[in-house]
Amino acid sequence: MKTVFCVAAESSSSGSIDWFNNQPAATAQYQTFAADNSLATDTLTSFSLEVPDRATPGEITELADEAMWEMTYQCAERRIGTDGIHASLAVSAT
């Protein structure tokens, strides 16, 4: 198994997720999303995800997408809409 780092942006009608092989890149993407005024009403979430060592990029994308939609992840940081909440959460989203 290996760890990838995910950043999700979710609105009431859609969502997207990016994953990275290193945490600094994921943190930079999270900060970019948080500064983007067009995402001001979205929920932004960062989390890490364990995936098989030999998973292809497509398989990792599917696993990350599934974790986001099923909320089967351990949240590292979240900003909910315009309230600017940034919190490290030690509990599972499920």
Side-chain angles (χ1 to χ4, degrees):
M1 299 296 277
K2 67 179 180 179
T3 303
V4 296
F5 303 91
C6 303
V7 178
E10 301 171 78
S11 72
S12 61
S13 61
S14 66
S16 68
I17 189 161
D18 296 321
W19 61 267
F20 304 87
N21 287 313
N22 63 71
Q23 190 167 11
T27 299
Q29 182 63 46
Y30 183 89
Q31 292 170 345
T32 298
F33 280 171
D36 184 342
N37 287 333
S38 71
L39 300 176
T41 60
D42 289 8
T43 297
L44 307 178
T45 306
S46 68
F47 60 93
S48 60
L49 184 66
E50 294 294 315
V51 298
D53 282 330
R54 296 179 189 217
T56 67
E59 290 168 335
I60 295 171
T61 298
E62 287 178 19
L63 292 168
D65 192 54
E66 179 181 315
M68 180 184 79
W69 289 111
E70 298 294 325
M71 297 184 75
T72 56
Y73 56 80
Q74 191 88 10
C75 180
E77 189 168 0
R78 177 172 287 143
R79 186 200 77 176
I80 302 171
T82 57
D83 62 12
I85 293 174
H86 292 274
S88 293
L89 303 176
V91 295
S92 174
T94 58

